[in-house]
């Protein structure tokens, strides 16, 4: 009898700055940190026509949050917001034509629900339609593409929307997500899991205690060899899914699993379950990847 094989890939990175997510004002289907240090955390719900966001930013000044075509400012759909000393929320739907101060939209399609401050955080809750019918100044949110989210923060309240200071090189960032699909629980088995035989196997490929990057490296490629359990009969891979340690989602760009057709025990045993830089020569020849994941994707079921 043939057997079924489920592979889950787990990346765990060490990040001393990771903290617990802030508590939102209500329950949300999805949440994500937009940067590794959780400077900006996003919560959201959606239905067939409307998406509601709640943004928590680590600043007592202003923040900007928006949708970009390519991760940059030009042609991006942005909201700018802050809460002044009197507790009044300032919020505008804006549009960026370049790497400069966004201008306030003629038609305000992002709608404020409320804005507030805590000891060290500014939070705003707001909504917009998935398709505002304003092609000139708004980006459509749909399932045909990944959503490139951008953010920026400033330490002080500006005087007006025409006088917001430059955020600087470090108080900004971006992250790619699928806003309309990320709420899917990637750890669940397919809906027909009850029909699977009782002896299907789940293989976890763990990468624990890896320091993802330092201030001197923007990108780091880490490899690890794994031995699959002994299988005397044919198995089929039916699903693979990533599991990311909460708080480290912003650190991981992609993962891939490849097969070594002729495993060298003398070399492989020394490297099995040991993380090493992918540019290290280990004497093993990899076949092409048979499982891959990148930011914006979710569960893959074969």
């Amino acid at each position: 009898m043939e057997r079924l094989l489920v592979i889950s890939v787990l990346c765990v990175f060490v990040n001393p700055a990771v903290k617990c997510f802030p508590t939102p004002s209500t329950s949300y289907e999805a949440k994500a940190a937009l940067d590794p240090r959780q400077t900006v955390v996003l919560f959201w719900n959606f239905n067939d026509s409307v998406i509601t966001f709640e943004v928590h930013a680590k600043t007592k000044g202003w923040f900007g949050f928006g949708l970009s075509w390519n991760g940059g400012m030009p042609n991006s759909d942005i909201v700018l917001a802050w809460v002044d000393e009197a507790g009044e929320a300032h919020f505008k739907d804006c549009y960026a034509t370049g790497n400069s101060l966004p201008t306030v939209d003629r038609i305000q399609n992002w709608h404020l629900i409320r804005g507030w401050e805590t000891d060290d955080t500014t939070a705003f809750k707001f909504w917009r339609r998935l398709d505002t019918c304003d092609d000139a100044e708004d980006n459509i949110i749909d399932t045909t593409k990944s959503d490139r989210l951008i953010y920026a923060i400033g330490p002080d309240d500006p005087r007006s929307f025409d006088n917001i200071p430059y955020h600087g090189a470090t108080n900004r960032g971006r992250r790619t997500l699928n806003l309309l699909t990320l709420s899917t629980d990637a750890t669940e088995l397919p809906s027909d899991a009850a029909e699977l035989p009782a002896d299907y196997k789940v293989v976890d490929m763990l990468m624990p205690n890896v320091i993802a990057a330092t201030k001197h490296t923007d990108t780091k490629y880490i490899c690890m060899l794994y031995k699959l359990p002994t299988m005397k009969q044919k198995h089929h891979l039916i699903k693979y899914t990533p599991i990311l340690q909460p708080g480290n989602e912003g650190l991981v760009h992609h993962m891939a699993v490849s097969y070594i057709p002729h495993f060298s025990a003398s070399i492989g045993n020394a490297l099995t379950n040991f993380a090493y830089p992918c540019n290290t020569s280990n004497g093993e020849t990899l076949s092409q990847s048979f499982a891959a994941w990148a930011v914006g994707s979710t569960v893959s079921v074969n």
Side-chain angles (χ1 to χ4, degrees):
M1 179 185 295
E2 297 178 343
R3 297 295 188 266
L4 302 176
L5 176 65
V6 179
I7 289 183
S8 59
V9 180
L10 171 62
C11 267
V12 180
F13 292 144
V14 173
N15 185 358
V18 169
K19 302 176 182 179
C20 295
F21 273 29
T23 301
S25 63
T26 187
S27 61
Y28 288 90
E29 296 178 6
K31 63 183 178 182
L34 300 189
D35 66 298
R37 295 184 178 276
Q38 299 181 15
T39 305
V40 179
V41 175
L42 178 67
F43 302 87
W44 71 99
N45 288 328
F46 59 89
N47 56 32
D48 292 340
S49 60
V50 171
I51 187 166
T52 300
F53 295 106
E54 185 170 317
V55 177
H56 290 239
K58 289 290 186 181
T59 180
K60 293 296 292 288
W62 64 272
F63 79 83
F65 165 79
L67 304 172
S68 169
W69 292 106
N70 59 6
M73 279 192 67
N75 302 315
S76 57
D77 183 15
I78 295 174
V79 295
L80 296 175
W82 71 90
V83 177
D84 64 25
E85 292 182 353
E88 181 180 354
H90 300 261
F91 178 92
K92 289 291 185 182
D93 176 6
C94 302
Y95 183 76
T97 58
N99 293 317
S100 57
L101 179 64
T103 58
V104 176
D105 280 5
R106 296 175 295 104
I107 304 173
Q108 293 289 294
N109 290 310
W110 296 74
H111 304 281
L112 175 65
I113 299 175
R114 63 177 291 227
W116 66 99
E117 285 185 342
T118 61
D119 292 339
D120 61 350
T121 299
T122 297
F124 271 76
K125 184 176 181 179
F126 48 95
W127 68 273
R128 59 155 277 182
R129 294 191 177 278
L130 302 180
D131 185 354
T132 65
C133 298
D134 183 4
D135 295 338
E137 296 179 328
D138 289 336
N139 292 354
I140 297 175
I141 302 173
D142 59 28
T143 58
T144 64
K145 65 183 188 312
S146 296
D147 301 292
R148 292 171 174 84
L149 309 180
I150 60 175
Y151 72 88
I153 62 173
D156 303 308
D157 293 341
R159 294 192 297 271
S160 70
F161 288 96
D162 296 327
N163 205 359
I164 296 177
Y166 175 52
H167 46 66
T170 58
N171 293 330
R172 62 183 180 184
R174 61 187 180 184
R175 185 173 178 192
T176 301
L177 297 171
N178 272 336
L179 291 174
L180 304 188
T181 60
L182 191 66
S183 59
T184 300
D185 187 351
T187 64
E188 292 181 355
L189 288 170
S191 59
D192 60 351
E195 301 176 6
L196 295 177
D199 59 350
Y200 74 84
K201 301 179 185 296
V202 177
V203 177
D204 291 329
M205 297 181 176
L206 312 180
M207 191 173 285
N209 302 322
V210 173
I211 298 177
T214 69
K215 64 181 180 179
H216 303 295
T217 58
D218 293 329
T219 304
K220 191 172 185 179
Y221 296 90
I222 300 296
C223 287
M224 185 177 287
L225 295 180
Y226 302 88
K227 283 186 178 180
L228 291 175
T230 301
M231 302 176 188
K232 297 181 180 180
Q233 297 169 297
K234 182 185 291 184
H235 287 66
H236 294 281
L237 173 64
I238 61 168
K239 175 189 174 184
Y240 60 88
T241 177
I243 304 175
L244 305 178
Q245 178 176 311
N248 288 344
E249 297 91 342
L251 294 174
V252 186
H253 180 266
H254 68 273
M255 294 180 280
V257 181
S258 300
Y259 173 69
I260 301 175
H262 303 291
F263 185 77
S264 171
S266 60
I267 297 177
N269 288 341
L271 294 175
T272 298
N273 299 323
F274 173 76
Y276 59 90
C278 291
N279 58 359
T280 301
S281 176
N282 57 30
E284 303 294 348
T285 301
L286 302 179
S287 69
Q288 71 180 56
S289 298
F290 65 86
W293 171 90
V295 289
S297 59
T298 53
V299 179
S300 180
V301 179
N302 297 328

